[in-house]
Amino acid sequence: MKKKYQALDKMQRYYFPMNAGDGAYSYSRNSQLQKEVLDGAKEMIRDAIAEKLDIKSLLSASINTFRIVDLGCSVGPNTFSAMQHIIQAIKDQFSTDSINIVPQFQVFFNDHITNDFNTLFRSLPADRSYFASGVPGSFHRRLFPSGSIHFAHSSSAIHWLSKLPEELLDEKSPAWNKGLIHYVDAPNIAVVNAYVSQFDNDMEVFLNARAEEIVPGGIMVLVSPFSGYRLLKFFGSSLIDMVNEGMLDESLVDAFNVPVYFPSPEDMTKVVEKNGCFSIERIELTYPQSKLVDEADAKSLMTNLRAVLEGVFINHFGSKIADEAFSRTILKSEDISAWMKANYEKPCQLFVVLKRK
């Protein structure tokens, strides 16, 4: 008789760390998708620094430390690449503008308290040109003293919600998302609206916090994936397979939803304008190349998504169910690759540059 798994009695809610360490399914070894997002934004970040960042007004002989934060840094190596690129672009701008001040750079690496900061700091580049600090805590609240940050960066992070919308947890609600684990492909618009509402609330808190922390004239760059997560349904199908085989209670799947929402330019414009503390310097959808998506490399892509999502599954179902669900999904790689080729969706991401008024 097959064992029927039960959910954990006590779950750690609303902390969604990427897989720790450097094992086979760790984020540090499986973050190619996020690297593609970063690489696709590098030249636009350089342009934003050159065109929108008035370094002379931010630094002086008495204030010569330039402070940068990576919000939702995870465990690397992508965060190190992003920070080095930003610093080099700022240094290049010093030369272009003939600025004689030689700044010191301080980089703050921020993520949830459950993030694997040990792995992050063990892999810090030895030749880095900045002072490094870790800042544990959700970016959905204040993290820094007022007026202390010159440049804020966040890539592949702001789409994470601080919590699941409450409506999704109510069987009597129109947003009860029975049999599905995300709003993508949900037949009921109430499900989508619940996600949108939670995103709006989270971004209001996020922008209010950053408005306090970023100096006037400071820049914030936000990069978020906008497509490609239709593949979440394959993880959901593996859970349903387990239900049909008597290994898992159906009610546990019905009560599970992945807490991510992928904002559109309209979503971001609305929340930024409501906040009123930032000017929108650039906001657009971009279409970078993606080896994983363009080549329909389902096995690598699903392993990448496992490194990102496994913590969410463990929080709800426990480690045994999560491992079984992900193992089953990766075994479907050939079928998923075929589906990707037949339903090709060009990789797309949202790029936003905000300037503190």
Side-chain angles (χ1 to χ4, degrees), residues 111-347:
D111 214 314
H112 279 297
I113 60 174
T114 51
N115 185 57
D116 186 3
F117 284 101
N118 287 334
T119 294
L120 174 72
F121 287 112
R122 277 199 300 268
S123 56
L124 268 172
D127 60 348
R128 63 189 181 276
S129 58
Y130 54 83
F131 297 96
S133 300
V135 181
S138 170
F139 57 47
H140 291 114
R141 63 175 178 82
R142 283 286 301 275
L143 296 166
F144 301 98
S146 298
S148 59
I149 300 298
H150 300 97
F151 194 103
H153 172 270
S154 185
S155 181
S156 299
I158 63 165
H159 59 282
W160 284 95
L161 302 177
S162 67
K163 63 178 182 178
L164 282 173
E166 293 180 4
E167 303 95 312
L168 300 180
L169 306 178
D170 182 0
E171 294 183 42
K172 298 179 180 179
S173 168
W176 177 248
N177 200 21
K178 182 176 176 60
L180 298 174
I181 67 171
H182 196 231
Y183 68 84
V184 174
D185 295 329
N188 193 339
I189 190 63
V191 175
V192 179
N193 290 341
Y195 272 91
V196 172
S197 179
Q198 185 61 54
F199 174 79
D200 287 349
N201 292 338
D202 285 346
M203 284 306 296
E204 180 179 5
V205 175
F206 175 90
L207 290 171
N208 285 339
R210 304 295 85 77
E212 291 289 335
E213 297 164 351
I214 297 174
V215 301
I219 294 291
M220 179 160 59
V221 172
L222 307 173
V223 190
S224 176
F226 187 68
S227 63
Y229 275 75
R230 291 170 64 193
L231 295 172
L232 285 172
K233 67 180 183 180
F234 290 103
F235 294 116
S237 71
S238 293
L239 291 170
I240 294 300
D241 290 343
M242 294 172 68
V243 170
N244 293 336
E245 294 171 19
M247 299 175 66
L248 179 62
D249 284 337
E250 183 178 13
S251 62
L252 299 179
V253 180
D254 291 341
F256 177 69
N257 290 270
V258 178
V260 294
Y261 176 74
F262 305 101
S264 67
E266 293 75 21
D267 291 325
M268 285 299 304
T269 298
K270 180 178 69 174
V271 295
V272 173
E273 290 181 346
K274 180 182 178 182
N275 172 265
C277 296
F278 296 89
S279 61
I280 299 175
E281 302 296 327
R282 184 172 181 176
I283 183 167
E284 62 182 288
L285 292 177
T286 62
Y287 299 87
Q289 289 187 332
S290 170
K291 182 177 181 180
L292 297 184
V293 177
D294 292 341
E295 298 182 6
D297 184 1
K299 185 174 183 179
S300 296
L301 186 55
M302 303 312 281
T303 302
N304 193 123
L305 291 175
R306 175 173 183 164
V308 171
L309 297 170
E310 191 163 15
V312 181
F313 277 66
I314 290 173
N315 280 348
H316 185 82
F317 295 108
S319 59
K320 291 183 178 180
I321 298 174
D323 180 67
E324 180 72 15
F326 283 107
S327 297
R328 285 172 175 244
T329 305
I330 291 174
L331 288 175
K332 300 175 182 178
S333 294
E334 290 187 9
D335 292 338
I336 297 172
S337 290
W339 181 89
M340 291 173 66
K341 292 175 182 177
N343 299 272
Y344 179 75
E345 185 177 39
K346 187 172 178 61

Side-chain angles (χ1 to χ4, degrees), residues 65-95:
T65 300
F66 196 96
R67 297 182 180 90
I68 304 168
V69 58
D70 193 20
L71 299 160
C73 65
S74 192
V75 295
N78 293 335
T79 185
F80 303 135
S81 174
M83 295 301 97
Q84 187 56 47
H85 175 74
I86 290 168
I87 289 172
Q88 188 58 54
I90 294 171
K91 287 181 176 179
D92 292 345
Q93 200 57 36
F94 270 78
S95 299

Side-chain angles (χ1 to χ4, degrees), residues 44-106:
M44 293 184 290
I45 291 175
R46 179 174 288 276
D47 290 343
I49 290 170
E51 298 168 8
K52 305 299 181 181
L53 191 64
D54 185 357
I55 298 174
K56 287 183 179 179
S57 69
L58 296 180
L59 297 177
S60 66
S62 60
I63 305 174
N64 69 339
T65 300
F66 196 96
R67 297 182 180 90
I68 304 168
V69 58
D70 193 20
L71 299 160
C73 65
S74 192
V75 295
N78 293 335
T79 185
F80 303 135
S81 174
M83 295 301 97
Q84 187 56 47
H85 175 74
I86 290 168
I87 289 172
Q88 188 58 54
I90 294 171
K91 287 181 176 179
D92 292 345
Q93 200 57 36
F94 270 78
S95 299
T96 300
D97 294 344
S98 299
I99 301 175
N100 295 324
I101 299 171
V102 180
Q104 300 179 93
F105 290 94
Q106 185 172 17

